[in-house]
Amino acid sequence: MNMKLWREILYPYEMAVDELVLKFNNIQREYRNAGEYSPIESVTGRVKKIASILEKGNRKNIEIEHLTEQLDDIAGIRIICQFVEDIYKVVEIIERRTDIEIIQYKDYISNQKLSGYRSYHVITRYPVQTREGQKKVKVEIQIRTLAMNFWAVIEHSMQYKYHEHIPEHIRERLSASSEAIIQLDNEMSLIRDEIMDAQNSIRQKDLIVGEILNLIHGLYRTANKREILKIQDEFYKVYKKNDIALLRTFLEELDAIAEGYRAQDAEGDL
Ligand code: 0O2
């Protein structure tokens, strides 16, 4: 198969990866805009390099013309979560979608690989609209915690360096550190509620402060400078108290003031 043909074959996979990264990022944004904790921490995607596709096909004895139907991970999405519990939430999110068809689940969390690898894989089929019409391509969605990802990235680089013949002493260390990763994930799950509360507060504060600054910015069109300066001073005082309830009250009061100016402005236009 020549390079041009490969590019054509891989194009729908690239479309699928681009679209799914965008869609999962939108899910994250939706949670955060609602001031809620997002089970998705970050999303990346990639299309496997041609050399890696050929190498994997060779390793698994797959004929070149059967590569796209038999390899599950030519298109890959990686979703990183903070906590193990979030992984199952993300799986539910995928299950509820009407645009993603699930083919297979690979639960390497309950069934950790011998290497120590842990991650939850969902093999899916995703439709893209090409100029020749709809094409459904296989996409492997890997869902793992930050800690699992840290281990997998390090171990993967060792596999790359030693071409899968990792020396025994390094393998032992990797195996021991995979146990430490399980412990770390378990410990984090125990204080998950507190961590989520803290992160929610930070996000809510950011949203409220953002709205306050927008309202103050809007006042520059209608209110007089002296009043705006007074409002800004008041805002700094409230901000320094680091109390979300006070900030929320300040936002409500400011909103009422801004609404008054907007009404005045509308009357002036009549
Ligand atoms: P790359 O370079 O990440 O793309 P199988 O289902 O067993 O017939 P397959 O298709 O290899 O074979 O499925 P599997 O085992 O679920 O692996 C799919 C991908 O998961 C791998 O792709 C890796 O990304 C990741 N993975 C699986 N096992 C390990 C592991 O032991 N260590 C690490 N670091 N990652 C793993 P590729 O093509 O192997 O690699």
Side-chain angles (χ1 to χ4, degrees):
M1 219 180 298
N2 66 32
M3 281 302 284
K4 188 168 173 286
L5 202 54
W6 267 114
R7 287 224 177 88
E8 275 170 28
I9 289 170
L10 294 185
Y11 187 61
Y13 291 87
E14 280 162 17
M15 285 173 78
V17 167
D18 287 351
E19 287 181 21
L20 285 169
V21 168
L22 184 76
K23 287 181 176 184
F24 283 113
N25 273 323
N26 281 340
I27 294 172
Q28 185 204 56
R29 190 170 323 135
E30 228 184 317
Y31 273 98
R32 292 190 175 164
N33 283 348
E36 284 177 36
Y37 171 83
S38 165
I40 297 176
E41 175 62 19
S42 63
V43 186
T44 52
R46 64 99 185 96
V47 173
K48 222 176 178 61
K49 295 205 176 73
I50 298 168
S52 305
I53 295 174
L54 293 174
E55 185 275 319
K56 193 162 181 174
N58 200 25
R59 183 159 36 95
K60 292 178 150 247
N61 270 327
I62 302 171
E63 307 227 351
I64 203 154
E65 56 271 25
H66 297 133
L67 281 174
T68 52
E69 63 197 73
Q70 291 197 18
L71 288 187
D72 294 335
D73 65 341
I74 292 181
I77 300 291
R78 189 166 291 161
I79 299 179
I80 306 297
C81 309
Q82 297 195 54
F83 305 100
V84 178
E85 291 81 350
D86 300 338
I87 294 176
Y88 301 101
K89 286 228 170 92
V90 174
V91 174
E92 281 171 26
I93 289 173
I94 297 171
E95 287 171 339
R96 281 201 303 270
R97 292 198 69 104
T98 52
D99 54 348
I100 302 174
E101 181 194 332
I102 296 176
I103 303 175
Q104 195 189 349
Y105 298 92
K106 290 181 177 178
D107 183 355
Y108 297 129
I109 297 175
S110 304
N111 307 299
Q112 179 180 334
K113 281 200 160 187
L114 272 180
S115 60
Y117 178 75
R118 285 163 69 240
S119 192
Y120 198 104
H121 296 189
V122 185
I123 314 297
T124 68
R125 215 183 285 282
Y126 178 79
V128 288
Q129 307 298 324
T130 71
R131 62 190 170 132
E132 283 146 20
Q134 176 172 285
K135 276 207 169 109
K136 285 190 173 182
V137 293
K138 273 188 179 177
V139 181
E140 180 188 74
I141 306 176
Q142 298 185 343
I143 314 159
R144 40 170 97 147
T145 62
L146 287 158
M148 291 173 193
N149 190 50
F150 170 63
W151 184 93
V153 169
I154 302 278
E155 198 259 0
H156 192 271
S157 54
M158 286 294 156
Q159 280 184 29
Y160 186 78
K161 176 171 178 187
Y162 293 106
H163 305 285
E164 296 187 4
H165 302 293
I166 301 176
E168 199 46 39
H169 70 283
I170 295 182
R171 206 175 273 286
E172 275 167 19
R173 294 238 178 240
L174 284 169
S175 175
S177 56
S178 80
E179 290 302 314
I181 294 291
I182 296 179
Q183 275 249 262
L184 179 62
D185 273 333
N186 286 344
E187 288 296 325
M188 288 301 162
S189 285
L190 291 177
I191 50 167
R192 178 171 178 260
D193 287 346
E194 262 181 68
I195 297 172
M196 275 168 46
D197 272 356
Q199 292 175 351
N200 269 347
S201 302
I202 293 169
R203 284 207 186 93
Q204 277 178 19
K205 191 176 159 194
D206 283 351
L207 286 174
I208 294 171
V209 168
E211 283 185 46
I212 290 174
L213 293 177
N214 275 342
L215 285 174
I216 293 178
H217 184 74
L219 284 179
Y220 273 94
R221 282 193 303 113
T222 44
N224 69 54
K225 286 254 162 57
R226 218 150 24 118
E227 182 161 14
I228 297 172
L229 287 177
K230 223 174 99 201
I231 289 171
Q232 275 178 352
D233 280 350
E234 195 54 37
F235 166 57
Y236 291 136
K237 274 188 214 145
V238 174
Y239 183 80
K240 275 192 205 148
K241 289 191 182 142
N242 202 17
D243 182 329
I244 290 195
L246 287 180
L247 275 169
R248 199 170 283 126
T249 309
F250 184 84
L251 172 63
E252 281 161 15
E253 288 167 3
L254 183 60
D255 200 25
I257 294 172
E259 186 52 44
Y261 275 108
R262 278 195 292 272
Q264 261 182 36
D265 214 22
E267 273 170 27
D269 286 345
L270 290 177

